[in-house]
Amino acid sequence: MNTVKLNQYNNDIYKPGSTLKKILWYFTNMIFFKTLFPFPSSLKVKLLELFGAKIAKGIVIKPNVNIKYPWFLEIGNDCWIGEEVWIDNLAPVKMGSNVVLSQGAYLLTGSHDYKKESFDLILGEIALEDGVWIGAKAVVCPSVVCKSHSVLAVGSVATQDLEVYGIYQGNPAVMKRTREIK
């Protein structure tokens, strides 16, 4: 059987931005986002837009949020991003309107090809359509679409698309019932 050879790993084709841009964002992220100090959401939105994010109105961003690359981020109207959310967006993340990312939610756009000796990087965009709720400590994996008003319950892991108005739970997440909004 073959084995993984991490010394063969080569990430040179992945160029998410200039070195200067990444360094400037790193410090901005550490000072204004990954902190317990409650900087106003309006300031955070302006900083994200300055770095290329597309942000609509009515956004709430709580303290201690980590965003990898804002230039790969698009957020619709009236979204909430809770404490300790990590948007690990090596690839684009698109959020519709009225989306909630609860405390500690993790959006993961990158992984590795475990079938290759060189453990190649694999990227996959994430889309969270209107009205989606990602529960506390839940994980959305690369290439997943959470369709309109779907819910990913606390601590669950979405490895496949979530259907419209579906409530999903578990690891991997499976549909438990249909969301009814009154």
Side-chain angles (χ1 to χ4, degrees), residues 34-47:
K34 280 200 61 66
T35 177
L36 295 176
F37 188 83
F39 286 106
S41 293
S42 58
L43 173 62
K44 295 176 186 178
V45 166
K46 293 291 183 209
L47 290 168

Side-chain angles (χ1 to χ4, degrees), residues 14-15 54 60 63 78 118 137 143-144:
Y14 180 67
K15 303 211 181 299
K54 295 179 179 117
V60 174
D78 303 312
S118 56
K137 302 288 185 181
S143 302
V144 169

Side-chain angles (χ1 to χ4, degrees), residues 4 7 15 37 40 44 65 85 108 112 115 131-132 136 154 157 159 165 170 177:
V4 172
N7 65 345
K15 303 211 181 299
F37 188 83
K44 295 176 186 178
V65 169
V85 165
L108 175 65
H112 295 275
K115 295 178 183 178
V132 165
V154 171
V157 180
T159 57
Y165 285 86
R177 61 191 166 280

Side-chain angles (χ1 to χ4, degrees), residues 139-174:
V139 178
V140 179
C141 292
S143 302
V144 169
V145 175
C146 298
K147 295 180 183 172
S148 177
H149 293 83
S150 58
V151 175
L152 183 62
V154 171
S156 297
V157 180
T159 57
Q160 296 181 7
D161 293 354
L162 307 186
E163 293 305 317
V164 174
Y165 285 86
I167 298 176
Y168 289 78
Q169 184 178 22
N171 181 6
V174 294

Side-chain angles (χ1 to χ4, degrees), residues 3 18 20 33 36 38 40 49 64 75 81 104 133 144:
T3 61
S18 72
L20 178 60
F33 291 84
L36 295 176
E49 289 174 335
N64 205 20
I75 303 175
I81 300 175
W133 178 16
V144 169

